[in-house]
Amino acid sequence: MIKKIEHIGIATKNIHESLSVFDKLLDCSTYKTEKVASEGVKTHFYKVGDCKIELLEATSEKSPISKFLSKKGEGMHHLALYVDNIYNELGRLNSLGFEAIGEVKKGADNKLICFLHPKTTSGVLIELCQEQFE
Ligand code: ZN
């Protein structure tokens, strides 16, 4: 079941400039910064009420964020939906014709994540995420 909007991911060209902009905009600082090597990104999280904003910084030219920036420029990258069981939800969505990009994997902030292809979601890259309990 989809529970809530967990965070909104924003692709940044110059992380120092974007951190300065969002620090001022949100009147707070990031509470967490984390490298996700498998995705070629460094993530910077802000808390906004019950939701989060994730600034994405590419760590290599092969990063999906680098590709996104060269195609579309900086700005909103994805919408993350929190689910109680990512495997069940993915099964439900697959059966309805939504297309996952790859498998469920470990993402930032101690989450299991999986992306849905924007061609099946009205142009919005959707991230499903679930807390990872170890
Ligand atoms: Zn995300």
Side-chain angles (χ1 to χ4, degrees), residues 22-121:
F22 278 84
D23 278 5
K24 282 183 253 174
L25 180 70
L26 301 172
D27 199 21
C28 66
S29 303
T30 55
Y31 70 93
K32 187 176 194 177
T33 294
E34 188 179 344
K35 231 178 190 166
V36 185
S38 60
E39 294 291 295
V41 296
K42 198 167 169 189
T43 61
H44 306 260
F45 283 99
Y46 289 93
K47 264 205 172 86
V48 185
D50 197 26
C51 195
K52 296 165 194 162
I53 289 178
E54 175 186 39
L55 298 188
L56 299 158
E57 175 189 5
T59 55
S60 82
E61 280 175 19
K62 285 181 188 154
S63 163
I65 297 304
S66 301
K67 286 178 198 156
F68 179 89
L69 287 171
S70 61
K71 256 202 250 171
K72 298 193 172 176
E74 63 181 350
M76 198 181 138
H77 179 259
H78 67 270
L79 178 64
L81 300 174
Y82 189 82
V83 298
D84 53 0
N85 185 317
I86 197 166
Y87 298 100
N88 287 353
E89 207 51 42
L90 211 47
R92 182 183 76 82
L93 292 167
N94 277 333
S95 74
L96 292 171
F98 294 96
E99 192 183 303
I101 304 174
E103 303 286 314
V104 174
K105 58 197 164 190
K106 194 176 171 356
D109 208 19
N110 202 38
K111 300 278 192 297
L112 289 175
I113 64 165
C114 188
F115 287 96
L116 299 178
H117 200 289
K119 74 182 177 194
T120 59
T121 55

